[in-house]
Amino acid sequence: MDALAPYLPLIYTILRGLALIGLIHAIVTRQQVYWIVMLLFGALFGGLFGLAFAAVYTFMVLIPAARGGGRVAGQAVARGVEALKPLDTRIREAHERLTESDTLQHRADLAALQARAGRPDDAQATLAPLLSGIYADDPVVLLTSAELDLARSDFSAAEGKLTRVDLRTSAATRTRTLTLLAQAQAAQGKPDADQTYRDAITGATTEEPRARYAAYLIGQGRAADARTLLDQIAKTESRATNLYRRQEREWFQMAAGLRKELK
């Protein structure tokens, strides 16, 4: 043990660094809660058990993940590190990337960060040049811009953009477009919203349109129809895989809240 004494500070630093890396990886990849708690303890306080868990996590999770998909694991950790940066810093860096290279991806990234910061007007201004250029009919541009219009309560503008989206692009694009379109129509009091929600539910890739349609039905005083739809969502949740439950957690929770509202 005496021979190791000079190296203990270095070992301690390495284990604490592994605890931080492991914590980021565990959060990004949605590991079990006990991993996150112990790694957090090790990263913040450097306790014996926390650091021991960091070593165990490294050999049981990180190294196998790196061997099975090194690039994917690295990207996950990188995204986690990026997510730890203050939002203002990420916006500034995204702005710098856009200044250096004005691409669709850079504009979309900056607009997304601005929207997350509660600055929909800035985000819409960032996207504006794309709406009159070669990307004017790009589904990503139209959908992102329409979502910003909805956040700004400009429902008519959102509807106009959503009707331009090519629904044949993909099932996910179709689902998202019709769901947003139904929201825009409902906000304007248009009866078309009912059929648009129904269209969105057909072949949907997420539970969102069903949950939102149920909320719409309740608002229209059609409690019986809403209850039928909510029972369908509950049945889907009971039969779903753990992955699908996690993926659709927001909408399953929304449906559960609506069921309580109807009692």
Side-chain angles (χ1 to χ4, degrees), residues 72-94:
V72 174
Q75 289 173 344
V77 173
R79 286 194 299 271
V81 172
E82 182 71 15
L84 293 177
K85 293 181 181 178
L87 193 51
D88 287 342
T89 299
R90 296 172 66 190
I91 289 174
R92 186 180 67 253
E93 291 176 350

PDB file of all heavy atoms in Angstrom, residues 72-94:
ATOM      1  N   VAL A  72     -20.731   5.426 -31.799  1.00  0.00           N
ATOM      2  CA  VAL A  72     -22.050   5.773 -31.259  1.00  0.00           C
ATOM      3  C   VAL A  72     -21.929   6.182 -29.802  1.00  0.00           C
ATOM      4  O   VAL A  72     -22.519   7.175 -29.359  1.00  0.00           O
ATOM      5  CB  VAL A  72     -23.021   4.583 -31.399  1.00  0.00           C
ATOM      6  CG1 VAL A  72     -24.336   4.888 -30.701  1.00  0.00           C
ATOM      7  CG2 VAL A  72     -23.243   4.275 -32.876  1.00  0.00           C
ATOM      8  N   ALA A  73     -21.138   5.408 -29.029  1.00  0.00           N
ATOM      9  CA  ALA A  73     -20.962   5.739 -27.618  1.00  0.00           C
ATOM     10  C   ALA A  73     -20.286   7.089 -27.468  1.00  0.00           C
ATOM     11  O   ALA A  73     -20.661   7.905 -26.620  1.00  0.00           O
ATOM     12  CB  ALA A  73     -20.126   4.651 -26.921  1.00  0.00           C
ATOM     13  N   GLY A  74     -19.290   7.344 -28.294  1.00  0.00           N
ATOM     14  CA  GLY A  74     -18.591   8.626 -28.243  1.00  0.00           C
ATOM     15  C   GLY A  74     -19.515   9.784 -28.559  1.00  0.00           C
ATOM     16  O   GLY A  74     -19.448  10.834 -27.920  1.00  0.00           O
ATOM     17  N   GLN A  75     -20.368   9.593 -29.546  1.00  0.00           N
ATOM     18  CA  GLN A  75     -21.315  10.646 -29.896  1.00  0.00           C
ATOM     19  C   GLN A  75     -22.290  10.900 -28.759  1.00  0.00           C
ATOM     20  O   GLN A  75     -22.669  12.048 -28.502  1.00  0.00           O
ATOM     21  CB  GLN A  75     -22.085  10.248 -31.161  1.00  0.00           C
ATOM     22  CG  GLN A  75     -21.236  10.290 -32.427  1.00  0.00           C
ATOM     23  CD  GLN A  75     -21.976   9.736 -33.629  1.00  0.00           C
ATOM     24  OE1 GLN A  75     -22.993   9.053 -33.489  1.00  0.00           O
ATOM     25  NE2 GLN A  75     -21.467  10.024 -34.813  1.00  0.00           N
ATOM     26  N   ALA A  76     -22.713   9.834 -28.079  1.00  0.00           N
ATOM     27  CA  ALA A  76     -23.640  10.000 -26.959  1.00  0.00           C
ATOM     28  C   ALA A  76     -23.007  10.811 -25.844  1.00  0.00           C
ATOM     29  O   ALA A  76     -23.630  11.711 -25.266  1.00  0.00           O
ATOM     30  CB  ALA A  76     -24.074   8.624 -26.424  1.00  0.00           C
ATOM     31  N   VAL A  77     -21.745  10.495 -25.510  1.00  0.00           N
ATOM     32  CA  VAL A  77     -21.046  11.248 -24.477  1.00  0.00           C
ATOM     33  C   VAL A  77     -20.856  12.697 -24.913  1.00  0.00           C
ATOM     34  O   VAL A  77     -21.024  13.630 -24.131  1.00  0.00           O
ATOM     35  CB  VAL A  77     -19.683  10.589 -24.148  1.00  0.00           C
ATOM     36  CG1 VAL A  77     -18.891  11.472 -23.199  1.00  0.00           C
ATOM     37  CG2 VAL A  77     -19.902   9.215 -23.536  1.00  0.00           C
ATOM     38  N   ALA A  78     -20.495  12.896 -26.179  1.00  0.00           N
ATOM     39  CA  ALA A  78     -20.294  14.261 -26.687  1.00  0.00           C
ATOM     40  C   ALA A  78     -21.581  15.066 -26.588  1.00  0.00           C
ATOM     41  O   ALA A  78     -21.562  16.247 -26.220  1.00  0.00           O
ATOM     42  CB  ALA A  78     -19.818  14.212 -28.142  1.00  0.00           C
ATOM     43  N   ARG A  79     -22.719  14.426 -26.919  1.00  0.00           N
ATOM     44  CA  ARG A  79     -23.987  15.127 -26.797  1.00  0.00           C
ATOM     45  C   ARG A  79     -24.278  15.469 -25.344  1.00  0.00           C
ATOM     46  O   ARG A  79     -24.824  16.534 -25.035  1.00  0.00           O
ATOM     47  CB  ARG A  79     -25.125  14.265 -27.362  1.00  0.00           C
ATOM     48  CG  ARG A  79     -25.147  14.196 -28.884  1.00  0.00           C
ATOM     49  CD  ARG A  79     -26.477  13.639 -29.376  1.00  0.00           C
ATOM     50  NE  ARG A  79     -26.729  12.290 -28.897  1.00  0.00           N
ATOM     51  CZ  ARG A  79     -26.346  11.192 -29.536  1.00  0.00           C
ATOM     52  NH1 ARG A  79     -25.681  11.281 -30.676  1.00  0.00           N
ATOM     53  NH2 ARG A  79     -26.630   9.997 -29.041  1.00  0.00           N
ATOM     54  N   GLY A  80     -23.910  14.570 -24.453  1.00  0.00           N
ATOM     55  CA  GLY A  80     -24.122  14.840 -23.034  1.00  0.00           C
ATOM     56  C   GLY A  80     -23.294  16.006 -22.544  1.00  0.00           C
ATOM     57  O   GLY A  80     -23.770  16.866 -21.805  1.00  0.00           O
ATOM     58  N   VAL A  81     -22.022  16.040 -22.956  1.00  0.00           N
ATOM     59  CA  VAL A  81     -21.155  17.155 -22.582  1.00  0.00           C
ATOM     60  C   VAL A  81     -21.699  18.460 -23.148  1.00  0.00           C
ATOM     61  O   VAL A  81     -21.735  19.491 -22.474  1.00  0.00           O
ATOM     62  CB  VAL A  81     -19.715  16.911 -23.090  1.00  0.00           C
ATOM     63  CG1 VAL A  81     -18.853  18.148 -22.875  1.00  0.00           C
ATOM     64  CG2 VAL A  81     -19.105  15.706 -22.388  1.00  0.00           C
ATOM     65  N   GLU A  82     -22.148  18.434 -24.396  1.00  0.00           N
ATOM     66  CA  GLU A  82     -22.715  19.619 -25.032  1.00  0.00           C
ATOM     67  C   GLU A  82     -23.940  20.107 -24.268  1.00  0.00           C
ATOM     68  O   GLU A  82     -24.150  21.306 -24.086  1.00  0.00           O
ATOM     69  CB  GLU A  82     -23.101  19.287 -26.484  1.00  0.00           C
ATOM     70  CG  GLU A  82     -23.662  20.460 -27.273  1.00  0.00           C
ATOM     71  CD  GLU A  82     -22.636  21.515 -27.615  1.00  0.00           C
ATOM     72  OE1 GLU A  82     -21.427  21.239 -27.495  1.00  0.00           O
ATOM     73  OE2 GLU A  82     -23.042  22.627 -27.978  1.00  0.00           O
ATOM     74  N   ALA A  83     -24.761  19.160 -23.816  1.00  0.00           N
ATOM     75  CA  ALA A  83     -25.990  19.519 -23.109  1.00  0.00           C
ATOM     76  C   ALA A  83     -25.718  20.177 -21.765  1.00  0.00           C
ATOM     77  O   ALA A  83     -26.570  20.888 -21.231  1.00  0.00           O
ATOM     78  CB  ALA A  83     -26.857  18.274 -22.902  1.00  0.00           C
ATOM     79  N   LEU A  84     -24.505  19.960 -21.195  1.00  0.00           N
ATOM     80  CA  LEU A  84     -24.162  20.560 -19.913  1.00  0.00           C
ATOM     81  C   LEU A  84     -23.779  22.031 -20.041  1.00  0.00           C
ATOM     82  O   LEU A  84     -23.741  22.753 -19.056  1.00  0.00           O
ATOM     83  CB  LEU A  84     -22.996  19.785 -19.265  1.00  0.00           C
ATOM     84  CG  LEU A  84     -23.307  18.354 -18.819  1.00  0.00           C
ATOM     85  CD1 LEU A  84     -22.057  17.697 -18.286  1.00  0.00           C
ATOM     86  CD2 LEU A  84     -24.410  18.343 -17.774  1.00  0.00           C
ATOM     87  N   LYS A  85     -23.503  22.477 -21.254  1.00  0.00           N
ATOM     88  CA  LYS A  85     -23.132  23.880 -21.451  1.00  0.00           C
ATOM     89  C   LYS A  85     -24.346  24.777 -21.219  1.00  0.00           C
ATOM     90  O   LYS A  85     -25.477  24.405 -21.542  1.00  0.00           O
ATOM     91  CB  LYS A  85     -22.616  24.106 -22.879  1.00  0.00           C
ATOM     92  CG  LYS A  85     -21.294  23.433 -23.201  1.00  0.00           C
ATOM     93  CD  LYS A  85     -20.898  23.765 -24.639  1.00  0.00           C
ATOM     94  CE  LYS A  85     -19.576  23.097 -25.017  1.00  0.00           C
ATOM     95  NZ  LYS A  85     -19.219  23.387 -26.434  1.00  0.00           N
ATOM     96  N   PRO A  86     -24.127  25.994 -20.687  1.00  0.00           N
ATOM     97  CA  PRO A  86     -25.238  26.945 -20.556  1.00  0.00           C
ATOM     98  C   PRO A  86     -25.859  27.219 -21.922  1.00  0.00           C
ATOM     99  O   PRO A  86     -25.158  27.261 -22.937  1.00  0.00           O
ATOM    100  CB  PRO A  86     -24.557  28.198 -19.989  1.00  0.00           C
ATOM    101  CG  PRO A  86     -23.315  27.691 -19.324  1.00  0.00           C
ATOM    102  CD  PRO A  86     -22.865  26.515 -20.138  1.00  0.00           C
ATOM    103  N   LEU A  87     -27.166  27.417 -21.944  1.00  0.00           N
ATOM    104  CA  LEU A  87     -27.884  27.599 -23.202  1.00  0.00           C
ATOM    105  C   LEU A  87     -27.361  28.815 -23.967  1.00  0.00           C
ATOM    106  O   LEU A  87     -27.235  28.770 -25.195  1.00  0.00           O
ATOM    107  CB  LEU A  87     -29.384  27.735 -22.929  1.00  0.00           C
ATOM    108  CG  LEU A  87     -30.328  27.626 -24.134  1.00  0.00           C
ATOM    109  CD1 LEU A  87     -30.040  26.375 -24.946  1.00  0.00           C
ATOM    110  CD2 LEU A  87     -31.771  27.636 -23.664  1.00  0.00           C
ATOM    111  N   ASP A  88     -27.053  29.888 -23.252  1.00  0.00           N
ATOM    112  CA  ASP A  88     -26.526  31.085 -23.920  1.00  0.00           C
ATOM    113  C   ASP A  88     -25.209  30.795 -24.629  1.00  0.00           C
ATOM    114  O   ASP A  88     -24.951  31.313 -25.725  1.00  0.00           O
ATOM    115  CB  ASP A  88     -26.326  32.230 -22.913  1.00  0.00           C
ATOM    116  CG  ASP A  88     -27.654  32.846 -22.475  1.00  0.00           C
ATOM    117  OD1 ASP A  88     -28.658  32.624 -23.184  1.00  0.00           O
ATOM    118  OD2 ASP A  88     -27.678  33.527 -21.440  1.00  0.00           O
ATOM    119  N   THR A  89     -24.383  29.959 -24.003  1.00  0.00           N
ATOM    120  CA  THR A  89     -23.101  29.587 -24.616  1.00  0.00           C
ATOM    121  C   THR A  89     -23.328  28.775 -25.883  1.00  0.00           C
ATOM    122  O   THR A  89     -22.683  28.998 -26.912  1.00  0.00           O
ATOM    123  CB  THR A  89     -22.250  28.768 -23.622  1.00  0.00           C
ATOM    124  OG1 THR A  89     -21.986  29.564 -22.468  1.00  0.00           O
ATOM    125  CG2 THR A  89     -20.933  28.345 -24.263  1.00  0.00           C
ATOM    126  N   ARG A  90     -24.267  27.847 -25.824  1.00  0.00           N
ATOM    127  CA  ARG A  90     -24.553  27.016 -26.989  1.00  0.00           C
ATOM    128  C   ARG A  90     -25.135  27.857 -28.130  1.00  0.00           C
ATOM    129  O   ARG A  90     -24.831  27.624 -29.296  1.00  0.00           O
ATOM    130  CB  ARG A  90     -25.521  25.902 -26.598  1.00  0.00           C
ATOM    131  CG  ARG A  90     -24.936  24.928 -25.572  1.00  0.00           C
ATOM    132  CD  ARG A  90     -25.972  23.963 -25.057  1.00  0.00           C
ATOM    133  NE  ARG A  90     -26.445  23.077 -26.104  1.00  0.00           N
ATOM    134  CZ  ARG A  90     -27.477  22.258 -25.976  1.00  0.00           C
ATOM    135  NH1 ARG A  90     -28.174  22.253 -24.836  1.00  0.00           N
ATOM    136  NH2 ARG A  90     -27.846  21.465 -26.951  1.00  0.00           N
ATOM    137  N   ILE A  91     -25.952  28.857 -27.783  1.00  0.00           N
ATOM    138  CA  ILE A  91     -26.508  29.739 -28.808  1.00  0.00           C
ATOM    139  C   ILE A  91     -25.391  30.559 -29.454  1.00  0.00           C
ATOM    140  O   ILE A  91     -25.345  30.710 -30.684  1.00  0.00           O
ATOM    141  CB  ILE A  91     -27.585  30.664 -28.202  1.00  0.00           C
ATOM    142  CG1 ILE A  91     -28.829  29.853 -27.850  1.00  0.00           C
ATOM    143  CG2 ILE A  91     -27.944  31.790 -29.173  1.00  0.00           C
ATOM    144  CD1 ILE A  91     -29.895  30.641 -27.117  1.00  0.00           C
ATOM    145  N   ARG A  92     -24.488  31.070 -28.629  1.00  0.00           N
ATOM    146  CA  ARG A  92     -23.375  31.862 -29.169  1.00  0.00           C
ATOM    147  C   ARG A  92     -22.502  31.016 -30.095  1.00  0.00           C
ATOM    148  O   ARG A  92     -22.112  31.460 -31.188  1.00  0.00           O
ATOM    149  CB  ARG A  92     -22.530  32.427 -28.025  1.00  0.00           C
ATOM    150  CG  ARG A  92     -21.425  33.388 -28.513  1.00  0.00           C
ATOM    151  CD  ARG A  92     -20.597  33.947 -27.390  1.00  0.00           C
ATOM    152  NE  ARG A  92     -19.797  32.933 -26.719  1.00  0.00           N
ATOM    153  CZ  ARG A  92     -20.040  32.460 -25.515  1.00  0.00           C
ATOM    154  NH1 ARG A  92     -21.086  32.903 -24.822  1.00  0.00           N
ATOM    155  NH2 ARG A  92     -19.279  31.543 -24.979  1.00  0.00           N
ATOM    156  N   GLU A  93     -22.209  29.788 -29.681  1.00  0.00           N
ATOM    157  CA  GLU A  93     -21.379  28.911 -30.508  1.00  0.00           C
ATOM    158  C   GLU A  93     -22.098  28.544 -31.803  1.00  0.00           C
ATOM    159  O   GLU A  93     -21.473  28.469 -32.872  1.00  0.00           O
ATOM    160  CB  GLU A  93     -21.014  27.654 -29.724  1.00  0.00           C
ATOM    161  CG  GLU A  93     -20.060  27.927 -28.562  1.00  0.00           C
ATOM    162  CD  GLU A  93     -19.782  26.682 -27.736  1.00  0.00           C
ATOM    163  OE1 GLU A  93     -20.486  25.657 -27.949  1.00  0.00           O
ATOM    164  OE2 GLU A  93     -18.887  26.721 -26.879  1.00  0.00           O
ATOM    165  N   ALA A  94     -23.407  28.305 -31.713  1.00  0.00           N
ATOM    166  CA  ALA A  94     -24.188  27.994 -32.921  1.00  0.00           C
ATOM    167  C   ALA A  94     -24.211  29.186 -33.870  1.00  0.00           C
ATOM    168  O   ALA A  94     -24.169  29.028 -35.097  1.00  0.00           O
ATOM    169  CB  ALA A  94     -25.611  27.595 -32.537  1.00  0.00           C
TER     170      ALA A  94
END
